[in-house]
Amino acid sequence: MEQSLVFIKPDGVERGLVGEVLSRFEKRMIQVKRAELRQLTPEEVDSHYEEHVSKPFYPSLKEYILSGPVFLMVLEAENVISIIRTMVGVTNSAEAAPGTIRGDFALTMQNNIVHASDSPESAQREISNFF
Ligand code: CMP
């Protein structure tokens, strides 16, 4: 079994999309192992996005992720990482296919509604950063 760390970003929580996004995973028979609505700390955000901290978009990304609570989930199924990334759609929501979470609920690169782990190594690191 594989696990993925997924969170609904502050604008998704604010817009009332937690139930909609969570139900897509549940209907797909993906198991919810942990779920928590929580305001992240600046340290958790820096650690989570360690590969992006020196990038020009990082100050804006950090402000966005700290702008309100996020809905954290640990999801489990066989091959769950790639299955979820397909369900979520490409990073730039403007190019995300209809039927994906970003393609249905988001418009921009930064405010792309959800984060999902991109590899088993990242998933382990991200899960232990938050739980
Ligand atoms: P996420 O999948 O959480 O990983 C990094 C986040 O940075 C990404 O979603 C976006 O919210 C944000 N971001 C903003 N600009 C960029 C960019 N040019 N490339 C990648 N991610 C970006």
Side-chain angles (χ1 to χ4, degrees):
M1 277 300 171
E2 191 173 76
Q3 292 190 334
S4 179
L5 186 283
V6 178
F7 63 81
I8 304 175
K9 297 182 180 183
D11 54 338
V13 172
E14 170 76 27
R15 287 167 57 197
L17 293 172
V18 169
E20 166 73 42
V21 172
L22 181 57
S23 84
R24 288 184 178 214
F25 297 130
E26 289 186 302
K27 286 176 193 158
R28 195 78 192 267
M29 313 257 299
I30 292 169
Q31 259 203 295
V32 182
K33 304 299 281 188
R34 306 286 298 258
E36 189 181 343
L37 183 71
R38 179 148 65 82
Q39 175 69 46
L40 300 181
T41 65
E43 293 73 27
E44 282 176 318
V45 176
D46 289 342
S47 166
H48 175 73
Y49 283 125
E50 62 179 12
E51 72 199 277
H52 295 308
V53 287
S54 57
K55 300 210 176 132
F57 62 81
Y58 189 68
S60 169
L61 172 64
K62 186 171 177 179
E63 188 183 7
Y64 163 50
I65 299 297
L66 289 172
S67 67
V70 301
F71 188 74
L72 293 161
M73 292 165 274
V74 176
L75 301 177
E76 185 177 286
E78 262 181 56
N79 300 317
V80 75
I81 291 171
S82 70
I83 289 168
I84 288 177
R85 287 182 71 81
T86 302
M87 294 173 75
V88 163
V90 295
T91 304
N92 186 355
S93 310
E95 292 166 6
T100 64
I101 293 166
R102 288 173 177 155
D104 288 348
F105 302 118
L107 265 185
T108 66
M109 172 76 91
Q110 177 179 276
N111 294 27
N112 59 3
I113 291 291
V114 286
H115 167 83
S117 305
D118 64 5
S119 67
E121 297 70 38
S122 311
Q124 280 320 305
R125 186 182 65 76
E126 292 171 2
I127 290 167
S128 46
N129 185 43
F130 293 124
F131 289 105

